[in-house]
Amino acid sequence: MVDRIELRGAKDEELVRISTIMGLALNLEEMKKIQNYFKSIDREPTDVELQSIAQAWSEHCCYKSSKPVLKRFIFGIKAPQCIDVIEEDAGVVALDGEFAYVVAFESHNHPSTIEPYGGAATGIGGIVRDVICMGAQPVALIDPLFFAPLDYPYERLPADVKHPRFLFNGVVSGISDYGNRIGIPTCAGMVYFHDRYAGNCVVNVGCVGVMKRKDLRRSSARAGDVLVLAGGKTGRDGIHGVTFASGVLKESEEYRSAVQLGDPITKEPLMHAILECNDQGLIDGMKDLGGGGLSCAVSEMCYSGGCGAEIHLERVKLKESGLHAWEIWISESQERFLLSVTPDKVDSLLTIFDKWDVDATVIGDAVSGSHIRLYYHDELVFDLDVAFVLDTPVYERPKAIPNVESEESDMDEPDSYDEILKMLLASPNIASRESIIRRYDHEVRAATVLKPLQGIMGKETHADATVLKPLESSFKGIAITADVNPAYCELNPFWGAASAIDEACRNLTAVGAVPHSFADCLNFGNPEKPQCMGEFYECCRGLGYMASSIGVPFVSGNVSFYNESEALGVSIPPTPAILGIGICDDIRECVTVDVKAASNPLYVVGTTKRELGGSAYYRLRGEKCGIVPRTDPQVLKVRMAALRDAMAAHMVASCHDISDGGLAVAVCEMLIGGDLGADIDISDLNTGSESGRLRSDYKLFSESNTRWVVEVWRDVRTNFEKLMHDRGIVISAIGYTKGERMITMRDGAKKLVELPLEELSTVWRAGIA
Amino acid sequence: MIKVCVLRIEGTNCEEETALAFARLGASTELVHLKQLTGAVKERDRRNLADYDLLVIPGGFSAGDYVRAGAIFAARLKGALSAELSEFVSEGKPILGICNGFQVLVELGLLPGNGDNRYAALTTNSSAHFECRPTLLKHENRGNCIFTKGIPRGAILKMPCAHAEGNFFIANEEYIQRLEDNDQIVFRYVDPAGNYASYPWNPNGSVYNIAAICNPEGNILGMMPHPERAFYSFTDHEWWRAGGKRGRGGEVGTYGDGKKLFESIMDHLRSHIYML
């Protein structure tokens, strides 16, 4: 069952061949390093050992291409709320003196492209485990999804490449079936369409959990602890998942075995059992089994705890007989945790698992020293120093800083603003997501206060952020949003990424929350290509610039490279998805997006510039150039604070951030949710230095950052204006809501739009089905 | 003190908030795993169904709902707890099934009751997929159902639903008349004007817009919508339209319609237990 590989005498081409045949995804240089190690200890490696090293050294597990960049820009933003960030499976952040919240955010792109239903489901499974293994109860799931357009022409897809509609349906069903079954609300996310996701969709999954700070468990073992494997059985599903994810995507059914099989009804009681054990203080340390399976979990727990381990692989419960030792060791079968437990608590722990009918098996011990030894039916099949296994390669990859942004040509002003507005509202990146949102249980646990759809019952519109009230004893709220605009990042990765942070902050502020932490899921192409590495570098620089300037830390994240379809020869656009977490001191003070009453004044907060590169309007009109929106973190800070103060003073009836489709679309979305009309005049819109010279279509559809539309209660409008004026905040009065369900927009004497609300809401609601 | 048993197995997932709803109203509430009632756990963890005043089967996806929604949970109850359940019911003690719990009660044959469950089922939603949305429920019971005695007839309550199989289906339309005659219909889906309306107001295509029914004796209630998610008004986004906490446009209070149902149940239990 165990092979010895003749490595020490192998020539270069033989080393490469070994890597390929065994599916190690290691390059020659890495193979040579391994060869030298085994020369130094004077023996040949077993297949278990080589496979194990390949897991640990994969891009997916060790971040060998991304780490130097992450260290420079993303890690280390200091903030007092950080308890345990970046280093573990999930970031732990203080909610108050007694409680903490936990954030994790990951990609599941390659599996979802091969097998969308299972890929999306196991993506949730994995992220939920990351949160549980800190000792927290998961309370929210977040799913940003990126596909090629659903009407993508079949004839443009090679035979092996699955159509985006198939992927979309599968992913949404996978999330719905798995997320709903485990009883964690899926309460935020995004769905974005772009041609370059053909052949490689992007499925990111985030999870937020809540715990008592005293229940925090680290992913480390201590010598003397017993190691318990709990949860599902181990099988051949998910072999080589991480090495598969660390190469360019070859679309083929051959790789289906790299996709794990999820089982929510093992996960659900497993979650209860673990949290019950942790609550009773029975767990010393724990780690979920994700990429690399047992091999990574054991190595990392030992390394972190400064100990070694002795494991008996035959004790691992299997789904099927005949697995090789190396397969047991690296299988990524789902729903499993590794627990380190002091010997006196093992019986109590196993009793709880028994009550929940969940398997839990003692598979070995943590021992002093730094060696991990594996026995398979008494044969020693693995004996390596954990320090070597985790001495992972790091690369400073060459990068080319891309610059595709350019001044646009002057296109004609549209003949019919009515038609343009309707086309924007119907466009796939703006149209209603209701048909998806309703398929996710977004309020199980009964703590979802502001839901992803808000407004009059039956007329609901998109929310800016979802708000949870996680604690029975407190009105404190956690606001959640997920944002990125890949079309900006494609033109200008630095400002595109900066815009994602700006948008996350806008969305959190729009409901009245204070931005508190970020998680990043960075999805890019092949890092061995300087162009992709350059995009990655610039995006990280943009994220770091914004987050550090406003003092909000990144607490968790994930990098997914090699998002390229070999068959199509394209990589995805740079996709640094941001999960923004905000805190509301009292959820009863939150603000929703739907307009509340007729005759209330509407304002735009912020300056509207000619920043339409990558905008929904330019994409609609086929304009590929243009300047993407810039942002200034200091201005963002001041505007957020002023807006929150206006909300605290009960001046704000509703609020919506301005993003895709500009202010015209933002106003329509607010009106749809409140079922009211409005008269809008943009002649006095503040356009900064371009004062008075900006064309009407640019005013209406610009996507300049750091802007909101605010509905102010009419009796306090002067107070609002004074507050904003005193703070030096730019605001422009743009009109009033009205009971008559008509929307008119004009620029002084020039009439632009005159449409019944019904007509706009109908095209918007036609959605993306 | 009123003792509430909220029953759980793998995949039930609304038990904590359901238990909280009763606890907030002063009940002694316990989350009990089915194995604790059937004796398949250590001595100290064992519980006896007869010790409780109310049995609640909460929402979720018990055992994954893989065969049919609620079928596996119901089969296990039948197999291991049949006698205790019969005794509990025959003593007139109440059972509440919410969402998946309703599906379990129908699978068990406890609803619609009469010992005749061949005519009714909760089948796949007419939209063919999961529906998470607010619903409006008109209270139609004439006094038979012990759970809703505190709610005026004709009152409209707002509670969210979240299910894929909530389509109350009946093989024979005449059976509806029997439900009416026995005063078994408790809640029906309506639109904001109070009319019996189709999708999305009736989220699943239920015949006769049925959202909740009780047994002929009135002590077993099954309902698809989730009252525990409507305990407080701030989980209803329209609360912010009514002015929310700051009371613009009208004071609406802190509590949602779900609480009315729990209160009605608790009031009944209190009076009933004191009578004993």
Side-chain angles (χ1 to χ4, degrees):
Chain A
M1 295 295 264
V2 178
D3 287 333
R4 305 254 163 205
I5 314 297
E6 290 178 13
L7 195 72
R8 286 177 298 171
K11 297 199 166 54
D12 287 1
E13 56 271 30
E14 182 66 8
L15 290 174
V16 171
R17 205 178 66 85
I18 291 171
S19 172
T20 309
I21 288 177
M22 294 181 69
L24 305 179
L26 296 171
N27 65 24
L28 177 61
E29 190 189 335
E30 292 157 352
M31 288 300 289
K32 278 181 159 171
K33 189 174 161 189
I34 298 171
Q35 187 182 40
N36 286 334
Y37 176 78
F38 283 97
K39 280 181 183 168
S40 75
I41 62 170
D42 199 26
R43 65 173 177 86
E44 297 292 3
T46 64
D47 53 357
V48 191
E49 289 170 328
L50 275 187
Q51 289 287 358
S52 189
I53 294 166
Q55 305 307 305
W57 292 14
S58 67
E59 182 70 58
H60 185 90
C61 285
C62 80
Y63 294 79
K64 56 193 171 191
S65 303
S66 59
K67 212 169 213 171
V69 182
L70 295 174
K71 275 188 174 160
R72 183 160 171 199
F73 297 118
I74 303 291
F75 299 163
I77 298 173
K78 296 272 184 288
Q81 63 266 35
C82 295
I83 295 175
D84 189 0
V85 302
I86 302 291
E87 298 298 321
E88 299 263 1
D89 290 286
V92 183
V93 189
L95 183 57
D96 59 22
E98 187 184 2
F99 289 92
Y101 68 91
V102 176
V103 189
F105 197 22
E106 270 189 359
S107 61
H108 230 229
N109 305 342
H110 285 197
S112 303
T113 303
I114 297 287
E115 210 282 82
Y117 181 88
T122 52
I124 298 175
I127 206 71
V128 165
R129 285 196 309 275
D130 285 335
V131 164
I132 296 170
C133 82
M134 307 309 296
Q137 166 69 53
V139 297
L141 292 169
I142 302 96
D143 289 288
L145 311 174
F146 305 81
F147 302 96
L150 297 181
D151 58 359
Y152 200 89
Y154 279 91
E155 57 275 16
R156 277 171 56 197
L157 291 175
D160 277 349
V161 175
K162 296 180 174 88
H163 192 268
R165 181 170 290 281
F166 173 78
L167 296 176
F168 170 82
N169 288 341
V171 166
V172 170
S173 299
I175 293 169
S176 173
D177 282 358
Y178 195 101
N180 294 350
R181 277 197 168 82
I182 60 170
I184 312 300
T186 298
C187 51
M190 58 182 289
V191 183
Y192 185 87
F193 299 99
H194 191 297
D195 273 353
R196 283 171 64 189
Y197 295 107
N200 197 135
C201 66
V202 166
V203 173
N204 291 173
V205 196
C207 182
V208 176
V210 170
M211 66 195 289
K212 284 191 176 156
R213 294 172 66 163
K214 69 172 179 58
D215 288 340
L216 176 62
R217 287 294 164 271
R218 314 265 167 178
S219 304
S220 66
R222 290 182 299 182
D225 279 349
V226 172
L227 297 175
V228 176
L229 180 62
K233 292 183 170 58
T234 301
R236 283 210 170 95
D237 54 312
I239 301 277
H240 285 157
V242 300
T243 46
F244 162 67
S246 303
V248 171
L249 184 58
K250 296 179 178 66
E251 178 89 21
S252 164
E253 286 301 308
E254 180 191 330
Y255 292 94
R256 192 175 273 257
S257 65
V259 183
Q260 308 88 344
L261 306 171
D263 177 8
I265 296 308
T266 300
K267 172 65 58 56
E268 204 268 351
L270 175 60
M271 175 166 69
H272 288 304
I274 290 207
L275 294 174
E276 189 173 329
C277 290
N278 194 41
D279 190 48
Q280 295 186 20
L282 302 177
I283 298 174
D284 211 16
M286 61 178 146
K287 186 161 178 65
D288 78 299
L289 272 66
L294 265 176
S295 76
C296 285
V298 173
S299 320
E300 287 172 26
M301 280 188 73
C302 287
Y303 187 70
S304 157
C307 62
E310 289 188 1
I311 306 284
H312 298 272
L313 282 178
E314 73 280 359
R315 294 185 190 168
V316 174
K317 291 197 175 168
L318 302 180
K319 292 180 178 176
E320 56 186 310
S321 61
L323 261 71
H324 295 285
W326 68 267
E327 290 177 307
I328 300 173
W329 186 234
I330 69 164
S331 163
E332 297 174 14
S333 286
Q334 291 287 291
E335 335 300 1
R336 300 181 302 158
F337 284 86
L338 184 67
L339 314 174
S340 63
V341 185
T342 54
D344 57 311
K345 290 175 178 157
V346 172
D347 282 347
S348 309
L349 180 117
L350 295 180
T351 302
I352 290 176
F353 279 96
D354 188 50
K355 180 180 94 179
W356 286 102
D357 293 324
V358 173
D359 284 332
T361 314
V362 173
I363 59 162
D365 301 280
V367 298
S368 55
S370 64
H371 271 244
I372 293 176
R373 293 188 182 83
L374 302 186
Y375 296 91
Y376 190 52
H377 297 296
D378 294 330
E379 182 190 354
L380 181 65
V381 298
F382 179 112
D383 183 0
L384 289 178
D385 192 330
V386 68
F388 171 72
V389 176
L390 293 180
D391 179 19
T392 55
V394 178
Y395 298 118
E396 287 271 4
R397 303 246 190 228
K399 58 183 179 290
I401 307 293
N403 184 16
V404 276
E405 196 180 30
S406 63
E407 294 281 342
E408 57 268 63
S409 52
D410 268 320
M411 62 168 141
D412 294 336
E413 202 172 338
D415 296 330
S416 164
Y417 278 84
D418 285 353
E419 286 310 307
I420 290 284
L421 183 56
K422 283 197 286 184
M423 285 162 79
L424 277 173
L425 286 168
S427 65
N429 285 329
I430 291 175
S432 171
R433 268 77 179 126
E434 179 165 0
S435 61
I436 305 167
I437 294 169
R438 296 282 184 218
R439 292 183 61 186
Y440 303 154
D441 191 339
H442 49 259
E443 45 189 334
V444 58
R445 302 189 59 75
T448 313
V449 172
L450 287 198
K451 303 186 204 304
L453 294 166
Q454 297 168 1
I456 294 175
M457 190 176 169
K459 311 270 184 192
E460 294 94 336
T461 188
H462 292 162
D464 286 305
T466 306
V467 179
L468 303 175
K469 177 185 171 302
L471 305 176
E472 174 73 359
S473 55
S474 157
F475 282 107
K476 203 152 215 179
I478 295 180
I480 301 173
T481 179
D483 305 284
V484 64
N485 190 329
Y488 301 166
C489 299
E490 192 177 25
L491 291 176
N492 187 323
F494 177 87
W495 287 114
S499 295
I501 296 287
D502 191 279
E503 186 176 359
C505 290
R506 294 199 303 270
N507 281 327
L508 296 172
T509 306
V511 298
V514 183
H516 201 250
S517 68
F518 297 121
D520 54 317
C521 194
L522 308 172
N523 309 273
F524 291 83
N526 181 351
E528 296 160 44
K529 292 183 182 168
Q531 161 85 15
C532 285
M533 200 58 210
E535 289 174 344
F536 176 72
Y537 181 90
E538 282 295 280
C539 278
C540 289
R541 195 166 69 84
L543 297 177
Y545 163 67
M546 285 299 286
S548 59
S549 304
I550 59 171
V552 177
F554 287 97
V555 297
S556 181
N558 163 247
V559 180
S560 169
F561 279 130
Y562 300 101
N563 290 292
E564 299 198 1
S565 163
E566 191 176 58
L568 280 161
V570 294
S571 72
I572 60 162
T575 310
I578 297 302
L579 175 56
I581 307 290
I583 297 294
C584 316
D585 276 336
D586 185 337
I587 52 98
R588 295 169 298 178
E589 299 285 354
C590 284
V591 172
T592 59
V593 66
D594 46 309
V595 293
K596 301 298 185 296
S599 308
N600 275 339
L602 297 169
Y603 295 87
V604 168
V605 174
T607 306
T608 305
K609 298 174 188 159
R610 186 173 169 181
E611 294 173 313
L612 291 104
S615 67
Y617 177 60
Y618 271 16
R619 293 181 72 198
L620 183 71
R621 298 203 58 191
E623 172 65 61
K624 291 190 165 52
C625 306
I627 301 299
V628 310
R630 302 312 199 237
T631 172
D632 179 341
Q634 299 314 323
V635 171
L636 173 64
K637 271 165 81 171
V638 176
R639 285 186 194 159
M640 288 194 296
L643 201 46
R644 278 194 304 267
D645 286 347
M647 290 172 175
H650 300 171
M651 296 170 181
V652 176
S654 64
C655 181
H656 191 16
D657 96 297
I658 299 179
S659 55
D660 302 63
L663 100 85
V665 166
V667 167
C668 290
E669 288 174 339
M670 295 170 77
L671 296 169
I672 287 170
D675 201 28
L676 291 172
D679 291 319
I680 305 295
D681 182 353
I682 53 170
S683 55
D684 289 335
L685 191 68
N686 186 300
T687 54
S689 56
E690 301 190 70
S691 179
R693 287 180 287 118
L694 204 57
R695 226 168 66 183
S696 305
D697 52 341
Y698 300 152
K699 284 184 184 174
L700 277 185
F701 307 124
S702 162
E703 296 180 11
S704 285
N705 276 314
T706 332
R707 295 182 305 151
W708 296 262
V709 176
V710 177
E711 180 202 7
V712 172
W713 293 108
R714 56 185 172 275
D715 54 331
V716 289
R717 68 172 303 169
T718 49
N719 306 17
F720 176 78
E721 287 175 0
K722 182 172 186 310
L723 172 78
M724 290 295 163
H725 181 77
D726 291 349
R727 298 292 190 86
I729 308 292
V730 172
I731 57 168
S732 318
I734 57 162
Y736 292 88
T737 57
K738 61 176 179 181
E740 184 202 2
R741 294 181 179 81
M742 281 293 295
I743 298 177
T744 67
M745 297 185 186
R746 57 198 181 90
D747 193 350
K750 187 165 84 182
K751 283 186 180 167
L752 304 173
V753 173
E754 185 171 6
L755 284 168
L757 177 68
E758 186 64 28
E759 202 172 330
L760 290 170
S761 80
T762 301
V763 294
W764 181 76
R765 282 188 200 289
I768 54 176
Chain B
M1 197 177 221
I2 289 157
K3 289 187 72 179
V4 177
C5 170
V6 180
L7 196 57
R8 72 195 324 194
I9 63 167
E10 73 279 9
T12 51
N13 56 35
C14 302
E15 61 265 41
E16 287 175 26
E17 54 269 36
T18 305
L20 264 177
F22 285 103
R24 286 170 190 145
L25 296 175
S28 160
T29 310
E30 194 176 0
L31 296 176
V32 181
H33 196 286
L34 177 60
K35 288 172 77 177
Q36 294 179 270
L37 294 180
T38 59
V41 288
K42 288 191 173 170
E43 184 72 42
R44 66 180 160 87
D45 288 331
R46 286 183 198 157
R47 299 290 182 272
N48 189 353
L49 182 61
D51 292 338
Y52 297 93
D53 305 308
L54 169 68
L55 172 64
V56 182
I57 306 178
F61 286 81
S62 55
D65 275 355
Y66 285 123
V67 180
R68 271 189 319 279
I72 299 172
F73 197 174
R76 274 193 224 165
L77 279 166
K78 259 186 209 163
L81 209 67
S82 208
E84 291 89 336
L85 262 181
S86 303
E87 195 184 323
F88 193 85
V89 174
S90 62
E91 279 181 13
K93 284 187 173 177
I95 303 179
L96 170 63
I98 301 169
C99 194
N100 193 222
F102 186 11
Q103 294 161 339
V104 171
L105 292 173
V106 171
E107 286 284 336
L108 273 171
L110 290 176
L111 286 176
N114 276 328
D116 189 359
N117 68 329
R118 289 168 301 164
Y119 292 102
L122 287 159
T123 182
T124 309
N125 293 350
S126 55
S127 65
H129 55 67
F130 195 88
E131 291 281 348
C132 179
R133 54 170 71 248
T135 59
L136 297 170
L137 309 174
K138 190 170 177 191
H139 180 225
E140 306 227 331
N141 202 261
R142 303 189 295 272
N144 176 44
C145 178
I146 62 165
F147 295 85
T148 55
K149 284 187 195 297
I151 298 168
R153 186 152 179 254
I156 293 176
L157 276 56
K158 188 177 180 190
M159 297 175 202
C161 73
H163 58 253
E165 292 162 77
N167 182 352
F168 187 79
F169 170 82
I170 224 152
N172 185 343
E173 292 283 335
E174 287 166 23
Y175 205 99
I176 294 286
Q177 194 53 50
R178 275 167 67 186
L179 292 179
E180 279 282 20
D181 294 346
N182 291 339
D183 196 17
Q184 287 181 257
I185 294 171
V186 182
F187 291 119
R188 292 174 69 191
Y189 300 110
V190 292
D191 67 13
N195 304 314
Y196 307 114
S198 58
Y199 184 85
W201 307 108
N202 176 349
N204 46 38
S206 281
V207 61
Y208 208 55
N209 282 43
I210 284 176
I213 57 168
C214 63
N215 61 344
E217 295 75 26
N219 64 327
I220 302 177
L221 172 67
M223 60 190 298
M224 286 315 297
H226 288 271
E228 78 279 11
R229 299 186 188 183
F231 193 91
Y232 292 114
S233 50
F234 44 72
T235 56
D236 172 8
H237 51 76
E238 283 192 297
W239 184 61
W240 272 262
R241 297 198 59 75
K245 184 189 172 195
R246 64 200 68 140
R248 272 182 195 274
E251 183 58 50
V252 283
T254 312
Y255 295 103
D257 289 344
K259 186 186 175 222
K260 292 177 186 161
L261 182 71
F262 291 109
E263 277 176 338
S264 171
I265 300 170
M266 288 296 287
D267 286 346
H268 168 80
L269 290 174
R270 281 192 192 102
S271 59
H272 187 69
I273 287 168
Y274 291 150
M275 265 160 44
L276 289 176

